[in-house]
């Protein structure tokens, strides 16, 4: 099974890049399942239902989020009716929407996606480790589903590496999101679970984590806020990860970073196009 | 001028990899100047004078550190007499040692190295922006030195990107250290300053940020500490950045990630060996 | 019903003051139920079973804790067998011991005590609001118990005031612990629940939150740790709160701060001795 | 010399209480010098020049602030021309306004007031210890001034107690502000410097740190913001500290908490009215 996961889409520029590249990636790489983190897709803060739909139309099968999930208040409403929308599972139980769901991939395989948030250096939700454990125990890989994908939306590299190690052998792919910078450490762990500490953003990298540089620079120099943050508007680079999952075990066979666009070193999976 | 910067060396395994690879890198790439962050080189916590010397012997011209600078108490002593040792410049003024120094590269060029620590999600020192500004204003690139290298030891990707943007056009290279995970975003900014949000570690990547996995996993699951952290002991991967600096302007001409060893996708500069 | 709650007991000095004062307080004020936070009673870090027993012998009916609950590893063992020992309820489910329990007061009344930890500026556990809600919903005041006491071990005044407001009308008493400084804001909220943002410590107040001043001062000046923290050893002051609870409603009728010993302005409940 | 320091004034309700009580306090207690923290006086966020003037008119000789100093952008302008306005001294050097200033008390005595911000659990500024040290070294008590008052605007009780201990014997009074809850630990330290970990707020105490309860409660339960915070509007309680300073040494002779209004136990200095 061929899985693509793209990191936090930042505003208009990020959406444009997704619309432009994703459809051909789906086709060219014969992708079975695509996840996109959409928490910053509406002007950098949250996501609207229209944008959610736009990302699905571009080829996403599931939209994950994070601490910005509900910045746009309409997400509190459409989270309920849109089964392909996920918000972190460790929000309080009464929170609208779902934190995990099972989907049917193009191949017919059953894919469990879990979205969960970290506790370190962030507004804390419930224990992410326990939350993921519950989901995976209830629906183990190879028995109740054919692939498990975890989006761990967290700040600290240590916390994200712990989650990946914790799930090694029991999930197909564990990625970090939230820092908006791709790490260069994608790999298959000893137990067979692919991981990447952070898959970066789909946004304009000539920026401060996707935002225009002026205000963050002003704040850093003066320690005083002088206005709002807005998304950087130049051409976005897609960033994410591509994983080839074993149809029998649900574990990762091959993994590659995906970086497509200006500023970053280009990276695309070669194992799929080579096989063509 | 050819500069190499290697990220935090973690314990025995990291030191071994540096000793093994660095001498031949210096020779093969005809390196003019090498910086190594050594804050975790003594069992994961701090650095001794013996290890400091060992890293110099392997080819380093300057050892930077960070929040672990003084974990080994002898560093409070040798910091004073070892001019190639740096600790973050924004420690209180009476702190032993230096936070910045100027060195003579193999080429004869004058290289200013500044080590500075972030304030976000860390024990805070003085304003890093102001500290670096003071140094660079006193010794501007192209007038008083031929290259400026900044090691910004910080947790948050946003804070590190702000520093890089702040210095764009006035430094040769700004790297982040501390998260122990290399980012995949090395680039030359519009003003000519090379940057990489974090250059990662020289350590065993089958680990939690260089440490053995058991205890961090135990803490994450139980929220209770059950012992000390120790460095992972298997083969380390070197991680860092290589920059070719213009001899006239002191700005970056070419930049590449350096990743050498197991677990991570291999990366070495091709611009130097191509020129051979 | 007459309830006394004493804040974090700090080391030998704190224990001595408890042993010295508590028995006569129990007798003189005809206390029905006494809670003592014991998380720092063993040299400032955690609690041993021997000390736990010593605090019970002095008159405590229940010992609560906090982030230091398991600093002494034997607490992981005796937490299971000692029903009067509580650790924060929002630790992971498999954690040894209890986070809430119901006790019989001297008056025969049923007292539910809940120990819970905050998430702000601390190592985060599960959502404290939801954890307390579950307990109180399962055993509501006036139906399943005659008094409810909550020890919210937390750093931020805002988080503690939110908990008190959240429980107003459904608990007898909500106190904060952890900052080791008593606040001067004990009061009965509009719904009838007594609160005090932090009840302080039973320790030597000529100190830094109960610890000897030298090392914290050294760290503040140098930003470098130079040794371990140890509890201050001079005479301790008891600090806590006294509440008179309505036998019918379980809500608070009268409340007073308790401060007994050097350094702090003396305060004792007058409503009980007046009634003698 | 008779000094009064009132904690953070919160919005309209806080200002009203200051206007109502302060003039008669000045007269009745024959106050020589009054400091008021005004960082939340404009709707809970910052301070305007009009409100600044209003607080002076009510009897304040100096207005200190904190992390909210510049929430109202006009403060960036009037900070420069208003010598009785202080913002934390450890803001970057180019920040408008002053962080310390010397004033003439009604008695003719020279009073140095220093406003400084903490680094723990807050957006970090420069080292507060070093900043205060510089001021006090330049203008020592008993030589260049007759009283020194420090407003340490900080979150953590430990950091505030360290500052008080650090200055013991070299300042007249060190108070904490920022948590909006008065502590019950005012005292004269061994060296003669009066301290109080936090002097609380002048605001409506039936609130969450001065703000209306609904939104903080909603956020705590749902972990989702649903609107803005607004100051609580019912009758405010004044909270602060009164210190009698020795005219010769500049050290504290007597100290008392000041709490005047609903919800909190009333406290006023008795040493001044007794002397009448
Ligand atoms: Fe994001
Ligand atoms: Fe995020
Ligand atoms: Fe490090
Ligand atoms: Fe570090
Ligand atoms: Fe404590
Ligand atoms: Fe605690
Ligand atoms: Fe305030
Ligand atoms: Fe504040």
């Amino acid at each position: 099974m061929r899985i693509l996961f793209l990191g936090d889409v930042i505003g208009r520029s990020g959406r444009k890049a997704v619309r432009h590249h994703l459809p051909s990636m789906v086709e060219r790489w014969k992708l079975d399942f695509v996840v996109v983190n959409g928490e910053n897709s509406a002007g950098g803060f949250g996501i609207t239902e229209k944008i959610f739909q736009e990302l699905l139309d571009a080829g996403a099968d599931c939209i994950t989020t994070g601490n910005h999930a509900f910045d746009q208040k309409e997400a509190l409403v459409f989270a309920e009716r849109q089964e392909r929308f996920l918000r972190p599972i460790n929000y309080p139980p009464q929170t609208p929407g779902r934190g995990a769901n099972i989907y049917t991939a193009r191949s017919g395989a059953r894919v469990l996606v879990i979205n969960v948030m970290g506790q370190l250096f962030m507004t804390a939700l419930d224990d992410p480790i326990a939350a993921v454990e519950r989901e995976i125990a209830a629906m183990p890989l190879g028995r109740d589903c054919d692939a498990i994908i975890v989006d761990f939306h967290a700040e600290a590299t240590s916390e994200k590496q712990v989650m990946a190690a914790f799930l090694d052998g029991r999930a197909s792919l564990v990625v970090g999101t939230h820092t908006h910078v791709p790490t260069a450490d994608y790999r298959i762990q000893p137990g067979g679970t692919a991981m990447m500490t952070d898959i970066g953003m789909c946004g304009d990298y000539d920026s401060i984590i996707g935002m225009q540089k002026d205000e963050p620079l002003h704040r850093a120099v003066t320690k005083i806020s002088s206005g709002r943050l807005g998304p950087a508007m130049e051409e976005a680079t897609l960033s994410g990860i591509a994983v080839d999952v074993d149809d029998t075990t649900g574990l990762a066979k091959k993994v590659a970073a995906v970086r497509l666009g200006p500023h970053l070193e280009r990276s695309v999976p070669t194992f799929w196009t080579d096989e063509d």
Side-chain angles (χ1 to χ4, degrees), chain A:
Chain A
M1 194 186 340
R2 298 174 172 198
I3 293 172
L4 176 73
F5 200 133
L6 294 178
D8 309 32
V9 176
I10 315 291
R12 183 185 306 269
S13 150
R15 276 147 42 207
K16 186 174 166 190
V18 171
R19 275 199 320 265
H20 184 253
H21 289 293
L22 185 52
S24 59
M25 290 158 105
V26 171
E27 192 186 328
R28 186 143 173 269
W29 297 339
K30 300 186 177 61
L31 297 173
D32 293 307
F33 199 78
V34 175
V35 189
V36 175
N37 186 304
E39 71 148 10
N40 307 106
S41 53
F45 296 93
I47 181 169
T48 63
E49 193 166 17
K50 187 156 171 287
I51 290 173
F52 165 78
Q53 194 58 55
E54 179 187 320
L55 295 172
L56 291 193
D57 291 346
D61 297 290
C62 172
I63 306 298
T64 56
T65 55
N67 54 313
H68 290 291
F70 298 113
D71 283 2
Q72 303 295 325
K73 290 312 166 206
E74 62 174 283
L76 290 163
V77 179
F78 76 76
E80 278 295 316
R81 65 171 168 252
Q82 293 288 5
E83 300 204 341
R84 293 181 180 278
F85 177 87
L86 297 182
R87 44 78 184 164
I89 196 168
N90 46 349
Y91 268 104
Q94 76 279 11
T95 306
R98 294 155 197 77
N101 209 353
I102 193 154
Y103 304 98
T104 305
R106 249 139 283 180
S107 61
R110 300 156 303 168
V111 181
L112 172 64
V113 184
I114 306 172
N115 190 187
V116 62
M117 207 148 91
Q119 293 186 309
L120 207 46
F121 312 140
M122 310 183 79
T123 304
L125 301 182
D126 278 350
D127 180 4
I129 290 279
V132 169
E133 176 63 41
R134 268 194 302 273
E135 285 304 305
I136 286 187
M139 195 160 289
L141 187 63
R143 196 193 73 183
D144 294 329
C145 58
D146 305 302
I148 295 180
I149 302 170
V150 177
D151 176 355
F152 189 28
H153 197 77
E155 175 71 32
T157 54
S158 56
E159 195 178 13
K160 290 190 272 195
Q161 294 186 2
V162 161
M163 179 64 85
F166 177 70
L167 296 176
D168 188 22
R170 300 190 292 152
S172 313
L173 171 64
V174 178
V175 301
T177 56
H178 179 67
T179 69
H180 295 189
V181 184
T183 55
D185 68 338
Y186 71 86
R187 63 189 180 98
I188 300 177
Q189 300 176 103
T193 299
M195 73 82 68
M196 185 163 157
T197 299
D198 202 295
I199 56 170
M201 66 172 176
C202 298
D204 174 1
Y205 277 81
D206 185 23
S207 67
I208 306 300
I209 59 166
M211 296 289 154
Q212 293 173 42
K213 287 182 274 190
D214 319 43
E215 175 63 15
L217 270 165
H218 182 268
R219 290 186 193 177
V221 171
T222 65
K223 316 301 176 195
I224 298 171
S225 158
S226 79
R228 302 175 71 88
L229 298 166
M233 288 306 199
E234 296 305 310
E235 189 184 345
T237 298
L238 293 197
S239 182
I241 191 169
V243 190
D244 199 85
V245 171
D246 188 288
D247 292 332
T248 317
T249 63
L251 295 172
K253 290 193 300 181
K254 290 171 190 159
V255 57
V258 173
R259 294 186 299 268
L260 210 64
H263 304 299
L264 301 192
E265 184 182 343
R266 179 188 169 89
S267 176
V268 291
T270 54
F271 37 83
W272 291 331
T273 41
D274 284 349
E275 288 166 25
D276 278 0

